[in-house]
Amino acid sequence: MTPLLKEKIPSLNGLADFESALLRYQLALNKYFARSISRDRFLLIERDARMEMDMRFGYLLNRLQTPDDMQAIRQSYASVLALGPKFEAEMMRPAVNAEAARVILRDLNTNTNNIRTQLDRLQGRLESTSVDGASDVVKEVNDSSSLVHLYTAASLLIALFLIYQFRARLASERKLAFQAWHDPLTQLPHRLAFEQRLTRLDDKPYTVVLCVPDRFDQIVGGIGHRRADRLILEMTRRVQEVARRHAGEVFRMDGANIAILYRLSNGHPDFYAALDALKALGTSPFQLENQEMHVTLSLGASEYPIHSADPADLLKNADAALTAAREAGGDTYVFYSQSLNERSQEKLALEAALGHAVEQGELELHYQPQYDVANARLIGFEALVRWRRDGQLVSPADFIPVAESSGLIVPIGSWILQEACRQIKIWNEGADEKLLMAINISPRQFNHPGFMLMVHESLTQSGVDPSWIELEITEGIMVQRPERTALLMKHLRHLGIQLAIDDFGTGYSSLSYLKHFPITKLKIDQSFIRGLQAGSSDAAIVQAVITLGHNLNVAVIAEGVEEQEHLDLLGAWRCDQIQGYFYSKPLTANRAGEFISRAGEFIARQSLLRDASAIELSAA
Ligand code: C2E
Ligand code: MG
Ligand code: MG
């Protein structure tokens, strides 16, 4: 090998080795910031990468002695060395200041990017001098003896091979770097990349738009994960297409959540056009293999810098707007406003207070009677939870969704199960006619890994007969995780527990799943009962559900029955059971106990009357 090549090839390799170690170091810090690696793993990789980086840098310094070459690199590298431990110290504090850590990491990333640019420049220079050197050798070879010729040609080949190898390694390291900042499914930059991008906004107005398909969980349940991935791919492709028309930058946050950054203020006419285009994405169906899907989107927007100049707040605000769009029923967009944040503050306060509700005994169960239509007899109760907060009763409609989204539904649901079991045991003990206790189970509670154990414990601790218990679940549960749901339902049925589908007719589902689940009752949602009139479309639905239930051999109960007229219609259509204000509102345990005694008297009277008429008949 000529002296020139001998000198350049190790230098090229040295560059690649240093860049590789630097990249590993940078990745370790970024991953730890995103909490995608544990603290121990971070410390291990970080120490290791730092040692190697130092060693490689020392080697480079020795080989490339021209001060100009290394000056810029040396400066940025010194900053990296100073910022790394600062970042580590910030992240190791008991209360991490995420904002401070983010700023340090941002500076560190800027410095590593500078180093990479300088390394690229150096590499280009070294490669061109190597190739020049190689052609000089070729010239020399022409004038030399054949042995020397052969030797030099071999050296040249080796040199070119090493350059090739070096380039391949750099390419794979660049791929690694790409992967670290991009999502593998869509190849879009991911959440961390988005957060980084937000730290580099100039003074112009920008708007962040977060976008998510409505009822995505239920969609995944219906079509499975593989097709859901295809849906995400197709959706992001459409989002990219429309975002590009308004110079929007697209990022995949997580799941089906997408963020778009527009260089527009949210009052700009172009921005409305951009939003309308996004919203219109779902007007043509998505073709997934042989299935068509209609998808609507919820969009939440927040503007920089008027809503906030801080990246974390900007994102939080857009998120609050997105939540508002979803809560409004989806297929719409919402701009951030201060009141949205106040609402989410209220939600946080509610969540905090709810966290103590069980241990402070603030929850109570009320019980709403259920009746058999044919003989007007009390057959059981639905347990409905109430929260006595500062002396006021809070409706479950206000706190169950919060409990569900925060995960508090698991301990709360466990308490409800135990309390309802304890109560029905008291009422049924020694009674001739056993009553049924219907208990609502929320999706998150049902999907919790400890759910079966919770049910077992409630049964054994209370000593109830499982056939006195009916669990009410919603259609969504069956659609989301059909296999697991079917298995759990089978276990529950095996224990002897009854299973009802609550709010039937309102969910996003196909009727075909009904045959696959061991259901014992359909509960027609009260929205169909409220305005029930013969000949109306609600009447047609109610009649169809009753027929469907009977064909499937399951009982049908109508909830929300308030009027005699509704009762008469439901009786005529052979609905089996009734629940509603017509008979009674939900009652406290004491009042429900009195109700049972009165019902007992009623039954006794009915049977006396029956006996009396039987005597009269036989006498006749
Ligand atoms: P749901 O399970 O469909 O319960 C029926 C709701 O309708 C109850 O409201 C009940 O009071 C009300 N209702 C019953 N009959 C009538 C009527 O004739 N007219 C009218 N206007 N309303 C009637 P509530 O107690 O406010 O509960 C609302 C929802 O909160 C429940 O709907 C259920 O989804 C949830 N929930 C209540 N208790 C629990 C619980 O213990 N656990 C869980 N996971 N969710 C619960
Ligand atoms: Mg219910
Ligand atoms: Mg219901």
Side-chain angles (χ1 to χ4, degrees):
M1 214 184 275
T2 66
L4 182 67
L5 290 177
K6 260 194 199 147
E7 182 194 324
K8 302 295 175 193
I9 299 302
S11 305
L12 277 169
N13 271 332
L15 282 184
D17 288 339
F18 174 59
E19 185 173 354
S20 154
L22 181 74
L23 186 71
R24 273 213 297 141
Y25 184 69
Q26 187 188 7
L27 275 180
L29 268 55
N30 282 282
K31 278 185 174 171
Y32 187 53
F33 182 69
R35 300 286 187 199
S36 63
I37 52 172
S38 68
R39 175 195 160 114
D40 290 347
R41 178 132 186 79
F42 162 69
L43 288 174
L44 204 78
I45 308 177
E46 188 254 3
R47 302 266 144 84
D48 199 42
R50 193 180 163 100
M51 261 165 54
E52 187 180 339
M53 192 168 74
D54 263 351
M55 194 178 84
R56 302 290 181 195
F57 187 71
Y59 176 80
L60 261 193
L61 273 183
N62 273 341
R63 289 218 67 88
L64 305 171
Q65 278 145 359
T66 18
D68 294 350
D69 283 345
M70 291 303 285
Q71 191 49 32
I73 296 179
R74 198 200 296 259
Q75 266 172 14
S76 298
Y77 184 56
S79 305
V80 169
L81 289 183
L83 288 166
K86 259 173 85 178
F87 169 81
E88 189 181 321
E90 194 54 62
M91 294 293 287
M92 298 295 156
R93 274 183 212 281
V96 178
N97 179 342
E99 195 38 45
R102 184 198 304 277
V103 171
I104 302 172
L105 190 61
R106 184 197 57 197
D107 293 347
L108 190 139
N109 284 333
T110 311
N111 278 295
T112 45
N113 288 343
N114 287 346
I115 298 178
R116 218 168 274 130
T117 315
Q118 293 301 328
L119 289 174
D120 270 355
R121 206 167 290 155
L122 259 177
Q123 177 211 333
R125 262 218 311 278
L126 281 170
E127 273 178 19
S128 65
T129 49
S130 304
V131 173
D132 288 350
S135 26
D136 290 348
V137 171
V138 175
K139 245 192 262 145
E140 281 171 30
V141 161
N142 289 336
D143 311 329
S144 310
S145 70
S146 60
L147 194 64
V148 174
H149 182 121
L150 210 64
Y151 168 76
T152 318
S155 305
L156 178 63
L157 276 177
I158 291 168
L160 291 175
F161 172 72
L162 285 174
I163 290 178
Y164 167 79
Q165 201 190 25
F166 161 75
R167 281 185 161 280
R169 194 161 76 201
L170 212 59
S172 83
E173 272 154 15
R174 291 227 163 105
K175 197 166 149 209
L176 211 85
F178 179 86
Q179 283 166 356
W181 292 98
H182 290 76
D183 156 62
L185 176 69
T186 59
Q187 303 294 309
L188 286 172
H190 56 39
R191 170 183 280 275
L192 207 62
F194 183 54
E195 289 175 4
Q196 285 280 330
R197 176 70 184 93
L198 292 184
T199 62
R200 285 185 279 111
L201 302 181
D202 52 33
D203 310 336
K204 308 217 170 55
Y206 284 84
T207 302
V208 167
V209 177
L210 294 181
C211 126
V212 69
D214 295 318
R215 300 190 297 187
F216 188 68
D217 286 352
Q218 292 174 19
I219 294 177
V220 177
I223 65 176
H225 284 279
R226 197 172 50 83
R227 272 190 280 179
D229 275 356
R230 294 208 40 198
L231 177 64
I232 292 177
L233 263 177
E234 177 56 20
M235 197 187 80
T236 47
R237 194 191 59 72
R238 290 192 193 182
V239 170
Q240 275 179 294
E241 206 175 290
V242 298
R244 203 177 301 135
R245 282 186 232 144
H246 302 274
E249 299 167 51
V250 183
F251 302 78
R252 181 182 179 198
M253 303 298 271
D254 39 47
N257 288 17
I258 302 202
I260 307 137
L261 181 68
Y262 290 102
R263 199 182 269 266
L264 293 167
S265 80
N266 85 39
H268 197 287
D270 270 2
F271 180 68
Y272 282 94
L275 274 190
D276 283 334
L278 278 175
K279 209 172 143 279
L281 278 183
T283 43
S284 55
F286 290 81
Q287 193 68 41
L288 302 172
E289 289 160 17
N290 47 11
Q291 189 177 1
E292 272 194 356
M293 280 291 344
H294 287 270
V295 175
T296 55
L297 296 179
S298 288
L299 304 158
S302 156
E303 183 179 334
Y304 168 93
I306 58 157
H307 290 147
S308 176
D310 174 75
D313 281 349
L314 198 61
L315 206 53
K316 198 176 91 195
N317 295 344
D319 218 21
L322 179 68
T323 306
R326 295 174 69 171
E327 284 173 359
D331 195 17
T332 187
Y333 43 72
V334 169
F335 298 108
Y336 168 77
S337 70
Q338 184 56 31
S339 66
L340 286 180
N341 247 353
E342 279 157 14
R343 254 171 46 198
S344 58
Q345 290 296 333
E346 264 171 40
K347 213 166 137 188
L348 283 176
L350 189 78
E351 204 176 292
L354 192 56
H356 303 291
V358 173
E359 73 223 34
Q360 292 180 353
E362 293 171 354
L363 294 183
E364 54 192 74
L365 288 185
H366 286 199
Y367 302 92
Q368 188 176 30
Q370 298 181 328
Y371 277 81
D372 187 283
V373 177
N375 55 18
R377 278 207 354 216
L378 175 73
I379 49 164
F381 290 90
E382 176 177 7
L384 294 158
V385 68
R386 303 286 180 262
W387 178 18
R388 203 169 282 281
R389 187 186 183 198
D390 305 327
Q392 299 281 322
L393 273 191
V394 185
S395 154
D398 293 330
F399 71 86
I400 290 286
V402 177
E404 176 79 10
S405 66
S406 61
L408 285 169
I409 192 69
V410 176
I412 290 178
S414 164
W415 177 85
I416 292 169
L417 254 172
Q418 285 172 17
E419 179 58 17
C421 286
R422 193 189 65 78
Q423 187 61 70
I424 196 65
K425 172 79 177 170
I426 296 171
W427 286 337
N428 277 352
E429 195 95 281
D432 296 334
E433 303 276 336
K434 304 296 183 203
L435 295 168
L436 190 70
M437 178 66 84
I439 306 170
N440 291 284
I441 303 294
S442 83
R444 188 140 177 195
Q445 189 185 1
F446 189 86
N447 287 328
H448 189 266
F451 177 66
M452 272 313 284
L453 188 69
M454 197 190 287
V455 172
H456 271 285
E457 277 177 5
S458 303
L459 294 180
T460 41
Q461 277 169 19
S462 60
V464 293
D465 181 327
S467 68
W468 302 344
I469 304 297
E470 178 176 82
L471 300 185
E472 291 191 4
I473 63 170
T474 48
E475 290 166 273
I477 295 182
M478 282 177 276
V479 184
Q480 275 163 28
R481 298 169 72 182
E483 286 89 18
R484 180 181 181 272
T485 304
L487 199 72
L488 275 195
M489 286 174 95
K490 245 193 232 154
H491 281 313
L492 293 165
R493 285 294 300 128
H494 190 70
L495 291 174
I497 290 176
Q498 317 271 334
L499 296 170
I501 304 189
D502 202 357
D503 307 337
F504 188 74
T506 56
Y508 171 90
S509 55
S510 72
L511 292 179
S512 67
Y513 66 74
L514 281 181
K515 350 189 246 288
H516 303 298
F517 298 94
I519 301 149
T520 51
K521 195 183 281 180
L522 292 182
K523 231 179 154 179
I524 306 177
D525 188 64
Q526 45 184 293
S527 58
F528 300 111
I529 309 293
R530 211 167 290 141
L532 197 60
Q533 276 179 346
S536 64
S537 57
D538 280 350
I541 294 171
V542 171
Q543 281 174 282
V545 174
I546 296 171
T547 311
L548 176 77
H550 291 167
N551 287 341
L552 290 168
N553 225 1
V554 303
V556 179
I557 184 167
E559 62 180 330
V561 177
E562 294 186 3
E563 313 282 341
Q564 176 75 51
E565 189 194 344
H566 302 157
L567 183 63
D568 293 343
L569 285 173
L570 291 161
W573 297 332
R574 293 202 310 112
C575 182
D576 304 292
Q577 298 162 7
I578 298 288
Q579 177 184 342
Y581 293 174
F582 179 77
Y583 280 116
S584 170
K585 289 195 168 179
L587 306 164
T588 59
N590 285 342
R591 295 284 313 280
E594 291 165 20
F595 207 85
I596 296 169
S597 331
R598 281 216 306 277
E601 286 164 21
F602 172 76
I603 291 166
R605 220 174 32 244
Q606 290 286 77
S607 57
L608 273 180
L609 283 176
R610 240 196 340 262
D611 291 350
S613 57
I615 293 164
E616 275 169 28
L617 277 177
S618 59

